[in-house]
Amino acid sequence: MPAINVGGIEIEVDEDGFIADPSKWNEAVAKALAETEGVTELTENHWKVVNYLRQYYQQFGIAPMIRKLCKETGFSLKEIYDLFPSGPAKGACKIAGLPKPTGCV
Amino acid sequence: MALWELFTIAILPYLAIAVLVLGLGYKIIYWLKAPVNLHWELFPYPRTSGEQAGELLTEVFTLRSLYMHNRRIWLPSLVMHYGIYLVVFWLLFLVVGLPLAVYLGVTGGCLVAAGSLLLFLSRLINPELRRISEPVEYLNLAFLFLLAVAGLIGGVFRDFSFRTYIISLLTLKPHLSLPDNYLFFLLLFWLFMLYIPFTRMAHFAVKYFTYHKVKWGEME
Amino acid sequence: MRKVFDDYRVLSDESLKPDEPRVEKFLQAMKKSLQKKDNWTFWLPYTLSLDTCMKCGTCAEVCPVYLASGKKDIYHPVYRSDMLRKVYKRYFTLPGRLFPALVGAEDLTEEKLNAMAENIYRCTICRRCAYVCPVAIDNGVIAREARKIFDAIDIAPDELKKNGTQKQIKFGNATGTPANAFLDMIEFLEEEIEDTKGYKVKIPVDKEGAEYLLMHNAGDYLAFAETVMGAAEVMDAAGVDWTLNSPATGVNDAVNYGVFYSDVEFTNVLKAHVETAKKMGIKTLVVGECGHAYEALKYLMLRLIPPAERPFEVKSILELEDEWIREGRIKVNPEKNPEPVTYHDSCKLGRLGGMYEEPRRILKACCQDFRELTPNREMSICCGGGSGFAIMEKGDFRKFRMETYGKLKAEQLKASGASIIALACSNCKGQFREIINYYRLPVRFAGISELIANALVR
């Protein structure tokens, strides 16, 4: 299985680059994952999205509706794409350490 | 008379017709016995038998799909197919005894020769076609070309008295006296009949299934 | 991931196992696929298509992938079909055994197997080629049968199998949404409708015996909520007895990825759909805006499940919406959608489903400026989201989708001058979302139900 290096520790990711074991996630991992997505700096806005995703995931076991994510964070979908170029499901969820969303999303 | 001549004139025809009929019959029954597949129609499609016959005849006589989407090979293909239709009618007219037959035969032969040669060259020259062509594609076209040329040069197509031979075959009393220059044509002709069931040239029969059973389906 | 065919990879190494010997297993599975008793579902079109290709190349002239790739050999539809056809001839036909070089029969090797496994996932099975083939040969059915053979030896894209059909059977939907999350979503959607439209709409959930069970593609809730909201508004405005269902009732996701790669998986999911509808005692199962789900439930189901075992009707939401607008059951005002709108025919709804008129009548009634894409209807160009491609991202696959199908679609969309592209299929929505981003088009996509809801006069 492929892996990314976070401060000398190997974190396993799946073939889509999503973290294999979500419990291994921490802020340093988020930064390393962000780099794989071409996001060089995690700003306060990034964290707002990431934190909401994690909170929702911990409560319900899946990623939230994109519409809800926008509403709760106050960002438009376009702004989310500006923050996470591959979008909320593939980009933001990856950095937030969620498993890759499945189904037709 | 050499043995192979006797074989070509009097034995091969029956063998070839038997293989053609049995081979095609086997194929048709094989497909007819196919389980009804899940719905896989493509819309829109003709619903009544009148509409279906119309569409089928349009495709057979104009090769519309090629005209619409693959114009480069439409004309040579049309020429070759019309040639084949005419040669079939040549045979029918001969059997019936209409002297018009020789015109159909000669025109048909010319069209088959021209069409198959052009298609052969298209396959060879057009890189897109060349890449998807196997040797057998060239073989089939060359076979048709040779057959047509042999018929034209040997003089079979323009000889109404060739009818006597056909009738003699039909009455199971094969006439053995035939001009030598017909022999090569006949050999090729019967071998071709023998060959058809084993090739994709049986597509005229297969089309019934691909169109009626699959593309146009049968809605309940 | 290492290169096995082109610059992309759909199958993970874990699934493809590119270095293990699989040829023997493949040939055994293929042998079975050619037996009509073992594989009756598409046996006729499958064997006809293997046997009778005239190599005229007409298919290539209309193939979106081949044309958009700049006519790369490896994307020629016949090249793809021949990967399987050469094996068929070599191992399963007499001429191929006797004269392999003459008829183009070839031994299967592990490398060829790898390449074939990938290449059959470069075609969305849009069947545009089958529509124009003079002999009605179907490269699509060959690709699908090849996928079935691969699936039989356990090689299938994770998105479709592990995280698709199998997840759907386990959780009731391929998104893995549990019932409590689903109910939270519904509550949020009701609030959203009230916030944006200013009126309350009650969204019924799990109501047994309802006349209409509306089953969306579960991905719509997460990614295309506007379609779900629009549909709820339309149902509410029509005043019909309807319900959605939560995963607590069984399957609440209309998708059936088995359509794309496996009859076994397909049948499992289909049976779960039927079971759920029966358990809920509903009269009509309404398929939301999802192309392949419509194909599965409207057509593919008919000869697979006897009529007595499926005591309900199946309709597309588009059929109902069209009917209700025409009979005046819901009133719409096209001035509420003033922007130029165009419509993309989803392959599954159009060429494979015959639904050309309904969406057009709806859009003409609900939008002031409706325009056609050219070409359209039976010659519509697949968007590239079909076969589940819209959800495949690994191995740089998004780039493949964008640079082939997506490129043609972007050009078509630009030429139409429309600022909204109306879509009736989730895979199309997922694909157009990326196309619009990738090509920076000044366009947004919208579900049909969303546009109707915008135009509703209450």
Side-chain angles (χ1 to χ4, degrees):
Chain A
M1 195 174 254
I4 53 166
N5 191 302
V6 183
I9 300 165
E10 295 274 295
I11 299 285
E12 286 192 338
V13 293
D14 66 16
E15 267 155 333
D16 292 288
F18 283 68
I19 194 163
D21 177 1
S23 69
K24 296 246 171 77
W25 185 90
N26 58 39
E27 294 195 359
V29 173
K31 280 179 192 146
L33 287 165
E35 266 165 43
T36 68
E37 277 292 302
V39 177
T40 45
E41 199 200 332
L42 287 176
T43 64
E44 197 183 320
N45 287 347
H46 287 101
W47 283 113
K48 206 164 154 188
V49 173
V50 165
N51 288 334
Y52 178 70
L53 286 174
R54 291 199 59 79
Q55 179 214 318
Y56 192 93
Y57 176 70
Q58 273 155 11
Q59 189 177 351
F60 290 109
I62 55 159
M65 302 166 82
I66 291 174
R67 198 176 167 101
K68 189 161 188 173
L69 171 71
C70 292
K71 183 137 186 166
E72 300 289 338
T73 57
F75 295 125
S76 69
L77 188 55
K78 201 194 155 291
E79 286 166 333
I80 298 211
Y81 268 94
D82 288 341
L83 292 169
F84 304 94
S86 41
K90 283 96 193 178
C93 285
K94 183 186 286 180
I95 295 171
L98 273 58
K100 183 173 188 273
T102 59
C104 288
V105 293
Chain B
M1 176 177 277
L3 194 59
W4 79 269
E5 290 175 19
L6 183 73
F7 177 76
T8 303
I9 295 173
I11 298 168
L12 185 60
Y14 297 109
L15 184 67
I17 290 169
V19 170
L20 179 71
V21 170
L22 291 176
L24 281 183
Y26 173 81
K27 271 204 167 176
I28 289 168
I29 289 167
Y30 177 74
W31 299 123
L32 272 178
K33 281 162 81 181
V36 180
N37 53 281
L38 297 188
H39 285 291
W40 195 241
E41 292 81 3
L42 285 169
F43 295 83
Y45 58 86
R47 304 289 174 121
T48 65
S49 29
E51 281 171 12
Q52 296 192 342
E55 196 142 315
L56 201 67
L57 290 175
T58 315
E59 184 57 41
V60 167
F61 286 107
T62 68
L63 305 185
R64 187 179 50 188
S65 312
L66 291 182
Y67 181 78
M68 301 286 287
H69 303 288
N70 198 2
R71 190 102 25 117
R72 282 178 305 201
I73 61 163
W74 170 70
L75 195 62
S77 200
L78 193 74
V79 165
M80 188 183 80
H81 280 87
Y82 267 84
I84 294 170
Y85 305 155
L86 288 180
V87 169
V88 171
F89 276 99
W90 165 69
L91 270 176
L92 289 177
F93 277 39
L94 272 186
V95 171
V96 178
L98 294 171
L100 179 67
V102 292
Y103 298 102
L104 300 182
V106 172
T107 321
C110 291
L111 293 180
V112 171
S116 54
L117 179 67
L118 288 172
L119 282 177
F120 189 97
L121 293 175
S122 311
R123 271 202 196 280
L124 207 59
I125 293 164
N126 179 323
E128 280 181 79
L129 274 178
R130 194 171 59 229
R131 279 184 212 114
I132 58 169
S133 301
E134 307 293 352
V136 69
E137 264 83 42
Y138 298 101
L139 175 75
N140 294 347
L141 289 169
F143 206 152
L144 274 166
F145 177 76
L146 274 182
L147 184 58
V149 170
L152 288 169
I153 294 177
V156 178
F157 289 136
R158 61 172 184 269
D159 177 10
F160 187 65
S161 66
F162 184 64
R163 174 168 196 265
T164 332
Y165 171 66
I166 301 285
I167 298 292
S168 77
L169 279 182
L170 289 175
T171 52
L172 306 181
K173 286 176 228 148
H175 240 280
L176 297 182
S177 60
L178 271 177
D180 280 351
N181 44 357
Y182 285 14
L183 276 176
F184 183 58
F185 168 77
L186 278 183
L187 181 66
L188 283 180
F189 182 81
W190 295 121
L191 285 178
F192 189 72
M193 293 296 123
L194 201 92
Y195 180 54
I196 283 179
F198 302 100
T199 69
R200 287 166 298 116
M201 286 184 284
H203 63 271
F204 58 89
V206 164
K207 267 175 128 163
Y208 168 77
F209 298 98
T210 53
Y211 276 85
H212 289 261
K213 298 286 180 191
V214 182
K215 190 179 172 187
W216 298 344
E218 284 156 26
M219 302 303 293
E220 49 252 39
Chain C
M1 283 187 281
R2 66 178 245 227
K3 187 170 160 167
V4 299
F5 172 63
D6 54 6
D7 295 333
Y8 312 101
R9 279 285 297 276
V10 156
L11 297 155
S12 60
D13 278 339
E14 224 169 294
S15 168
L16 182 61
K17 302 178 241 359
D19 299 313
E20 282 177 31
R22 296 142 302 162
V23 165
E24 261 324 300
K25 281 201 293 182
F26 181 95
L27 291 175
Q28 272 167 21
M30 179 164 187
K31 186 176 179 188
K32 217 172 159 195
S33 84
L34 292 162
Q35 305 291 320
K36 60 183 170 191
K37 66 172 176 15
D38 292 326
N39 187 27
W40 63 271
T41 46
F42 294 95
W43 185 84
L44 182 65
Y46 171 42
T47 51
L48 286 170
S49 298
L50 282 179
D51 264 331
T52 324
C53 172
M54 302 304 291
K55 305 286 175 84
C56 70
T58 309
C59 46
E61 302 294 321
V62 301
C63 172
V65 180
Y66 181 63
L67 295 177
S69 73
K71 304 198 170 185
K72 277 203 183 123
D73 293 356
I74 54 168
Y75 296 136
H76 195 298
V78 173
Y79 180 91
R80 180 178 301 111
S81 294
D82 273 358
M83 289 175 125
L84 188 69
R85 196 177 275 125
K86 284 170 186 290
V87 177
Y88 165 69
K89 285 183 178 166
R90 169 66 185 81
Y91 297 94
F92 305 102
T93 71
L94 190 62
R97 281 187 200 132
L98 296 177
F99 316 105
L102 179 71
V103 297
E106 280 180 22
D107 286 342
L108 182 63
T109 63
E110 302 297 338
E111 288 72 33
K112 286 182 196 168
L113 187 145
N114 287 337
M116 190 193 332
E118 280 292 328
N119 196 9
I120 53 176
Y121 287 99
R122 299 295 180 275
C123 159
T124 53
I125 316 191
C126 78
R127 298 182 69 212
R128 199 172 186 235
C129 60
Y131 191 80
V132 305
C133 173
V135 194
I137 291 305
D138 195 339
N139 294 305
V141 89
I142 292 183
R144 188 174 181 278
E145 291 296 322
R147 292 179 190 179
K148 278 164 60 178
I149 298 170
F150 276 105
D151 176 57
I153 62 168
D154 214 22
I155 296 176
D158 303 334
E159 291 85 347
L160 301 186
K161 192 169 190 179
K162 193 174 93 195
N163 295 324
T165 43
Q166 300 196 336
K167 194 161 181 183
Q168 185 180 10
I169 293 287
K170 200 165 154 199
F171 293 94
N173 53 67
T175 54
T177 306
N180 64 335
F182 183 79
L183 296 176
D184 176 68
M185 289 174 186
I186 299 301
E187 200 181 304
F188 173 74
L189 291 175
E190 286 179 335
E191 286 165 22
E192 280 292 277
I193 294 174
E194 197 177 353
D195 283 359
T196 53
K197 300 288 174 77
Y199 46 76
K200 277 192 181 183
V201 165
K202 173 82 196 117
I203 302 181
V205 175
D206 294 348
K207 184 177 171 208
E208 292 195 1
E211 176 157 12
Y212 298 111
L213 166 61
L214 172 56
M215 204 182 281
H216 290 289
N217 178 324
D220 284 3
Y221 293 95
L222 294 172
F224 312 115
E226 299 71 22
T227 297
V228 179
M229 288 158 61
E233 288 181 58
V234 172
M235 287 288 183
D236 186 69
V240 293
D241 175 22
W242 74 290
T243 186
L244 298 175
N245 69 323
S246 76
T249 59
V251 173
N252 74 329
D253 188 351
V255 302
N256 187 341
Y257 300 158
V259 168
F260 306 138
Y261 77 99
S262 160
D263 288 344
V264 176
E265 299 283 317
F266 169 71
T267 309
N268 287 343
V269 173
L270 189 66
K271 284 187 173 157
H273 278 136
V274 171
E275 219 32 65
T276 305
K278 269 161 80 174
K279 195 172 118 197
M280 291 192 64
I282 50 98
K283 290 195 187 66
T284 305
L285 174 60
V286 183
V287 182
E289 296 187 12
C290 176
H292 81 274
Y294 181 70
E295 183 196 4
L297 291 157
K298 184 80 178 185
Y299 297 112
L300 296 178
M301 177 168 78
L302 298 182
R303 288 171 180 158
L304 210 53
I305 311 240
E309 290 172 28
R310 40 178 168 92
F312 54 89
E313 252 196 285
V314 175
K315 277 194 171 167
S316 158
I317 190 166
L318 301 186
E319 290 174 276
L320 288 177
E321 290 169 335
D322 171 48
E323 206 179 296
W324 293 340
I325 290 173
R326 285 198 288 158
E327 48 182 49
R329 192 176 184 115
I330 55 174
K331 304 238 175 339
V332 286
N333 176 5
E335 286 168 18
K336 292 187 174 183
N337 284 317
E339 300 156 276
V341 174
T342 188
Y343 174 67
H344 159 74
D345 283 284
S346 131
C347 308
K348 297 289 194 191
L349 292 174
R351 250 188 315 276
L352 279 77
M355 207 186 294
Y356 295 121
E357 303 308 329
E358 290 85 347
R360 287 177 169 78
R361 277 197 298 261
I362 293 172
L363 291 171
K364 283 175 189 164
C366 297
C367 307
Q368 227 167 14
D369 178 357
F370 172 73
R371 308 167 173 201
E372 288 284 1
L373 291 176
T374 321
N376 55 44
R377 294 177 187 252
E378 70 273 14
M379 287 311 293
S380 168
I381 300 172
C382 175
C383 67
S387 269
F389 283 18
I391 57 171
M392 299 182 187
E393 301 276 330
K394 67 166 69 73
D396 217 7
F397 196 58
R398 188 189 332 205
K399 187 170 167 214
F400 169 80
R401 281 156 46 202
M402 293 302 115
E403 292 293 338
T404 53
Y405 297 94
K407 188 159 82 182
L408 300 185
K409 231 46 225 188
E411 284 163 12
Q412 247 194 319
L413 193 45
K414 268 190 254 174
S416 76
S419 56
I420 295 179
I421 171 108
L423 303 168
C425 161
S426 294
N427 268 337
C428 299
K429 285 171 189 159
Q431 171 76 350
F432 270 99
R433 175 181 61 200
E434 308 298 327
I435 293 174
I436 290 167
N437 262 324
Y438 191 86
Y439 290 101
R440 311 209 165 278
L441 303 176
V443 178
R444 75 175 180 94
F445 66 90
I448 306 283
S449 304
E450 179 189 347
L451 292 171
I452 303 175
N454 282 349
L456 275 179
V457 179
R458 292 181 60 112

